[in-house]
Amino acid sequence: MDVFYVSVDVGTGSVRAGLFTSDGCMVCTATCSLEMNQSEPHFYEQSSRNVWESTCSVVKEVVSGVKNREQIRGIGFDATCSLVALDGALSPVTVSLSGEDNWNIVVWMDHRAEVQAARINALSHPVLRNVGGKMSLEMQPPKLMWLKEHVYESCWKKARHFMDLPDFLTFKATGSLSRY
């Protein structure tokens, strides 16, 4: 019996899935565009609902030709360094100045946290050696600082979970918040 693996890549503008054989040969692919919100210059936001629905769509498409689902042995997720905000019920919490909960992902290319990244880097803390000597404003700590400082009421106080996008996808696929 042939076995297959599903690979999912969530990029800036689309979700892509591929079905692969156990020896790495690509069988088929599917792509679905993603929505993007730009609420301010340098602010880029996405919707975790849109990302997940698009992910499900492309995965269903690539596995549609597999006769027996037991032939599918695994799925892997890769995504941009984007930050997802969820409340205690695991529902979206806004990261947008608009206050719309639908926009609950700070996309990797969002540069709203430039000041926060500079403050972190000015500390010259030894831990920065673990990230190449300086904190990029595209990493999660500056984004989290910005959310706390600028959307405290609409985001920071309501959010109970902040996840990197690949962790969010794994959570949605498994129902588990464990990251081990």
Side-chain angles (χ1 to χ4, degrees), residues 20 91 97 115 140 144:
F20 295 86
S91 296
L97 292 174
V115 169
Q140 308 309 12
L144 289 164

Side-chain angles (χ1 to χ4, degrees), residues 72-167:
I72 301 169
R73 297 294 171 90
I75 186 168
F77 298 103
D78 188 28
T80 61
C81 185
S82 298
L83 180 67
V84 181
L86 303 172
D87 67 14
L90 302 168
S91 296
V93 172
T94 189
V95 296
S96 181
L97 292 174
S98 73
E100 295 176 58
D101 284 333
N102 186 53
W103 303 116
N104 70 313
I105 299 176
V106 180
V107 179
W108 70 270
M109 64 185 193
D110 182 296
H111 288 181
R112 70 181 76 186
E114 186 173 7
V115 169
Q116 290 75 15
R119 283 196 343 239
I120 292 169
N121 290 325
L123 298 172
S124 299
H125 193 280
V127 76
L128 293 174
R129 289 189 302 246
N130 298 321
V131 294
K134 73 177 213 171
M135 181 73 59
S136 166
L137 61 95
E138 295 169 359
M139 294 176 173
Q140 308 309 12
K143 293 174 188 173
L144 289 164
M145 288 172 65
W146 189 94
L147 294 173
K148 184 176 182 182
E149 294 169 7
H150 294 275
V151 285
Y152 185 83
E153 293 296 324
S154 60
C155 177
W156 192 260
K157 278 179 64 175
K158 294 179 181 178
R160 293 295 171 266
H161 303 277
F162 291 103
M163 299 179 187
D164 198 47
L165 188 50
D167 293 330

